[in-house]
Amino acid sequence: MVDPIGDGEVAHNYVGGEWREATGGESLNVENPATGDQLGSIAFSSADDEDEAIALANGAFEEWSTTAVEERIQPLFRFKQLLEEHQESLAEVLVTEHGKTKAEAMGEIRRGIENVEVACGIPTMMQAGHLPHAAPNIDETAVRQPLGTVVAVTPFNFPAMIPLWFLPYAVATGNTFVLKPSERDPFTANRIASLVDEAGFPDGVVNVVHGGPDTVNRLITHDGIEAVSFVGSTPIAQHVYETAAGAGKRVQAQGGAKNHVVVSANANLQFAAEQTCSSAFANAGQRCLANPVAVVEDEVYDEFAELLVDEARAMEIGSGLEEGTDMGPLVSGPHRDSVLEYVETGVEEGAELLLDGREQEVPEAGYHLGATVFGDVDPDATIAREEIFGPVLALIRAEDFDDAVSLVNRSQFGNAASLFTSDGGEARQFRLEVDAGNVGVNVGTAAAMAFFHFGGDKDSFFGDLHAQGDDAVRFYTDETVYIERWPDN
Ligand code: NAD
């Protein structure tokens, strides 16, 4: 059953098919960011809790990895159905502890379910290859085998979707799985674990262990863990990548972002303004695929800026559970303070404040902040370069299309970039020249479907194989090649 968060509920670990109290001693309050009220708390795990979870996951591996693949995907089909049946109540838990709107939460769960659907195709996706007569009288066969127990460490901003970038593929390929969700919104992960339980995965195949940095650092170097998937900010992604790889683990670590849209002089400006507004401010700007910088050709800059500010000003700000809300609160008080500091910095560094989010009407309680739009931002300004992760959009003026592309490529990040244009030649040039992992043309938010891989370039990604799709299958398996000759045959 997926219920709303109970008063004073504690987020426990889900280990070996049971709910267990974490014994690390440390705990953290979980708040409703729309009201500031305490919803419950999370107890952090001790090293003993983590050892136990990994031992149980290791213990479940032998039987699970040798279970017929057709049988292995049956709980995944049930899991998909349960996620759909409980999508609405799961979305309510998610909104209550994260703050995004119900429509955004429903959308993120849908994107998570997509990954379960794709992983149900593992019997086909996991096949590698067979070549008779690879050499004289020799046949060769490549097979993909699961690794063992794998861990995923996930961020606060998509507490349902991001764990589902990893869990379905990891277990479908025959691995056992430990999730360390964000400590800021742990109840969504626990509701997902209760659906895992109901779906009938054998005990120990899927586990959830709560904690903070100490738990992460122990898990990613643990002898019982073979591979580490991480999603979070760039400094932590780099730390996890280096630490886990140093301990001999296979690692994929997705980091932070500062994505750009380019608005060409020949774009449909109304469409581009609507899409840019939604991309910059959905989830209150707390998305790794948000486009918080718009690089606009000089010729259309003023017209685009006006359209965009009109769109942004019209947004309703409030509780994510209320009908008609376009933008919910930021996840916490300290995070809102950090976004406000960036707004101050933007003003101090001389950008033109076209829309001041601090002055928009927002509910008094909670961590709301209106949308801010800065105009004529210097490409070297702090607000143009650093990830703010809030509802702050910077407009940069570009001399022409070539100048716009080179401004995008100056970024240290490379998660995504989008172009608005009506010129196929420009679209082609953009695809070829822009340095980002997800590239959109006339698409505000370049989010790949689950059957394509998802991941960025430059400081937005550390590793080789990305999340989702074929990359996920290759990440969670080792390839062995059998070379056979039968001389008497
Ligand atoms: P975060 O880096 O603070 O935390 C992510 C995870 O790392 C959490 O589970 C946390 O417990 C753990 N962690 C935090 N500090 C740690 C430390 N010192 N050592 C070890 N582990 C530590 O990220 P966040 O604030 O939860 O999420 C927002 C960030 O995630 C943004 O930078 C955003 O761009 C990024 N993100 C990236 C993608 C992507 O696909 N590239 C997707 C979503 C979010």
Side-chain angles (χ1 to χ4, degrees):
M1 258 312 272
V2 178
D3 297 316
I5 301 161
D7 266 351
E9 186 176 334
V10 181
H12 292 308
N13 291 344
Y14 176 72
V15 169
E18 285 175 11
W19 295 99
R20 299 191 188 192
E21 271 181 47
T23 63
E26 208 183 325
S27 71
L28 198 70
N29 290 339
V30 180
E31 286 181 337
N32 178 345
T35 59
D37 296 340
Q38 189 183 335
L39 294 168
S41 62
I42 172 177
F44 284 17
S45 302
S46 63
D48 286 346
D49 299 333
E50 292 140 22
D51 287 348
E52 187 186 29
I54 292 170
L56 288 164
N58 287 169
F61 176 70
E62 194 178 334
E63 199 173 329
W64 181 244
S65 60
T66 53
T67 298
V69 65
E70 178 57 15
E71 250 178 76
R72 258 192 344 240
I73 57 172
Q74 296 312 315
L76 276 173
F77 282 108
R78 288 195 289 276
F79 184 44
K80 164 190 153 65
Q81 194 180 344
L82 286 164
L83 283 164
E84 281 169 346
E85 281 168 14
H86 295 282
Q87 188 173 355
E88 186 110 17
S89 57
L90 186 57
E92 279 165 18
V93 169
L94 200 164
V95 172
T96 311
E97 65 176 349
H98 174 283
K100 66 179 66 178
T101 67
K102 178 113 174 260
E104 288 167 345
M106 291 291 281
E108 104 156 73
I109 297 167
R110 182 60 232 158
R111 297 309 296 261
I113 293 170
E114 231 176 60
N115 282 279
V116 183
E117 290 167 351
V118 173
C120 287
I122 280 296
T124 309
M125 292 172 84
M126 210 174 155
Q127 293 175 28
H130 175 79
L131 187 63
H133 311 295
N137 295 319
I138 286 188
D139 303 335
E140 296 194 4
T141 308
V143 295
R144 295 200 172 117
Q145 289 164 322
L147 307 174
T149 300
V150 299
V151 67
V153 177
T154 54
F156 81 87
N157 64 327
F158 284 96
M161 179 184 75
I162 294 183
L164 295 176
W165 280 351
F166 306 110
L167 185 162
Y169 303 98
V171 300
T173 47
N175 299 282
T176 54
F177 182 75
V178 178
L179 171 67
K180 204 305 280 174
S182 171
E183 56 274 49
R184 287 193 258 182
D185 41 18
F187 289 107
T188 304
N190 276 20
R191 294 310 193 272
I192 290 175
S194 75
L195 299 180
V196 161
D197 195 69
E198 210 177 323
F201 289 93
D203 295 347
V205 170
V206 176
N207 308 274
V208 178
V209 168
H210 291 291
D214 291 345
T215 294
V216 174
N217 291 326
R218 287 190 293 259
L219 288 173
I220 65 173
T221 51
H222 199 286
D223 284 347
I225 293 292
E226 296 297 326
V228 175
S229 302
F230 175 87
V231 183
S233 55
T234 288
I236 311 299
Q238 186 163 6
H239 157 73
V240 166
Y241 181 74
E242 289 170 0
T243 309
K249 315 299 177 198
R250 183 177 295 195
V251 198
Q252 49 181 191
Q254 300 182 210
K258 186 80 173 179
N259 307 311
H260 296 63
V261 290
V262 168
V263 182
S264 155
N266 59 52
N268 174 334
L269 294 185
Q270 179 61 41
F271 178 71
E274 284 164 18
Q275 293 281 314
T276 303
C277 183
S278 142
S279 172
F281 301 123
N283 217 358
Q286 300 165 119
R287 289 199 299 178
C288 69
L289 285 183
N291 277 309
V293 185
V295 183
V296 188
E297 278 195 62
D298 188 42
E299 209 182 314
V300 293
Y301 177 93
D302 292 332
E303 192 184 341
F304 176 79
E306 206 178 311
L307 290 168
L308 187 106
V309 168
D310 287 348
E311 283 290 321
R313 188 180 280 121
M315 280 193 307
E316 282 294 325
I317 293 147
S319 158
L321 286 175
E322 268 164 38
E323 280 286 310
T325 295
D326 296 309
M327 185 163 80
L330 288 156
V331 71
S332 67
H335 187 53
R336 183 176 60 176
D337 292 345
S338 136
V339 176
L340 283 167
E341 249 176 64
Y342 274 110
V343 175
E344 279 297 318
T345 305
V347 174
E348 278 161 26
E349 290 185 350
E352 189 188 354
L353 200 45
L354 299 177
L355 181 66
D356 189 342
R358 299 168 299 185
E359 294 190 347
Q360 285 182 66
E361 207 175 299
V362 301
E364 245 175 59
Y367 310 120
H368 301 272
L369 181 63
T372 293
V373 181
F374 281 108
D376 277 313
V377 176
D378 180 334
D380 292 323
T382 310
I383 58 163
R385 288 183 294 104
E386 294 185 9
E387 182 176 44
I388 300 173
F389 223 54
V392 181
L393 172 64
L395 302 185
I396 296 179
R397 217 181 265 269
E399 279 168 29
D400 53 27
F401 184 69
D402 287 340
D403 184 35
V405 174
S406 74
L407 282 166
V408 174
N409 284 343
R410 278 167 64 169
S411 176
Q412 78 176 95
F413 300 104
N415 214 33
S418 284
L419 165 68
F420 288 97
T421 185
S422 57
D423 179 330
E426 275 182 0
R428 181 168 186 270
Q429 183 183 343
F430 193 72
R431 282 201 302 265
L432 291 172
E433 291 181 7
V434 83
D435 213 350
N438 301 284
V439 177
V441 174
N442 296 321
V443 167
T445 304
M449 301 289 285
F451 20 87
F452 287 94
H453 74 254
F454 179 97
D457 287 344
K458 300 203 264 187
D459 284 356
S460 297
F461 182 72
F462 302 87
D464 173 17
L465 296 166
H466 299 84
Q468 298 195 152
D470 276 343
D471 267 24
V473 179
R474 288 168 64 209
F475 182 78
Y476 286 127
T477 53
D478 251 341
E479 267 195 35
T480 305
V481 179
Y482 301 138
I483 300 129
E484 289 188 31
R485 173 158 52 205
W486 297 94
D488 301 331
N489 194 295

